[in-house]
């Protein structure tokens, strides 16, 4: 009886191990198929990504050359601006000052002379400020 029991136990154990091995084989087969499918899809994607990176590198090289050209144009424009400013700026300021002086002289020639006045917070005073006439600062007393 003990021998039959051991034989049945071994038969059940071998059946269980066989079932586990069959399931493991199916799982490994599915994993192999999944890896093969991923490899088939990943290789073209990697090729496309590599082509995109190469294209981006080419475009960045172009942008770099354009940025260098823009920097050169900016430097040239700055140099031209300073040259024009130094060549024409001084004489133009002198001509403008001369014209202003002529207009002011002509304007004063026809108008009667008025004393210069200074406006201080709503009131008009002569050429000198009130505190300057008194010789110093005025302190106000309480009251």
């Amino acid at each position: 009886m003990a021998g039959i029991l051991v034989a049945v136990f071994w038969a059940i154990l071998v059946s269980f191990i066989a079932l586990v091995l069959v399931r493991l084989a199916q799982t490994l087969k599915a994993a192999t198929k999944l890896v093969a499918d991923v490899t088939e899809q990943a290789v073209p994607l990697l090729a496309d990504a590599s082509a995109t990176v190469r294209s981006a590198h080419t475009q960045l090289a172009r942008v770099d050359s354009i940025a260098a050209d823009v920097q050169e144009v900016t430097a040239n424009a700055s140099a031209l601006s300073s040259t024009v400013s130094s060549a024409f700026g001084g004489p133009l300021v002198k001509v403008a000052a001369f014209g202003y002086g002529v207009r002011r002289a002509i304007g004063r020639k026809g108008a009667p002379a008025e004393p210069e006045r200074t406006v201080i917070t709503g009131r008009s005073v002569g050429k000198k400020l009130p505190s300057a006439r008194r010789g110093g600062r005025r302190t106000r007393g309480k009251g």
Side-chain angles (χ1 to χ4, degrees):
M1 180 82 163
I4 294 177
L5 222 109
V6 170
V8 169
F9 175 71
W10 278 107
I12 291 173
L13 184 63
V14 168
S15 298
F16 180 71
I17 289 175
L19 182 64
V20 168
L21 289 175
V22 167
R23 295 283 173 107
L24 183 62
Q26 289 174 351
T27 303
L28 287 175
K29 192 184 290 183
T32 304
K33 184 179 180 200
L34 180 65
V35 167
D37 290 344
V38 167
T39 302
E40 286 178 14
Q41 294 176 1
V43 170
L45 288 175
L46 289 174
D48 290 345
S50 176
T52 302
V53 167
R54 270 188 251 123
S55 173
H57 179 68
T58 304
Q59 295 300 325
L60 283 175
R62 288 180 184 167
V63 167
D64 188 34
S65 67
I66 290 171
D69 291 343
V70 167
Q71 186 178 10
E72 184 180 337
V73 166
T74 303
N76 290 342
S78 175
L80 178 66
S81 172
S82 66
T83 301
V84 167
S85 174
S86 65
F88 296 113
L92 284 178
V93 168
K94 290 178 183 177
V95 167
F98 179 74
Y100 175 75
V102 168
R103 276 186 299 160
R104 193 160 181 197
I106 291 174
R108 282 190 179 177
K109 188 177 184 181
E114 286 187 27
E116 286 190 22
R117 297 193 165 265
T118 306
V119 176
I120 300 176
T121 61
R123 59 187 176 130
S124 178
V125 294
K127 193 169 187 174
K128 292 186 176 180
L129 297 176
S131 62
R133 280 187 280 173
R134 290 190 185 95
R137 195 172 172 156
R138 189 173 84 178
T139 56
R140 292 184 180 183
K142 294 180 183 178

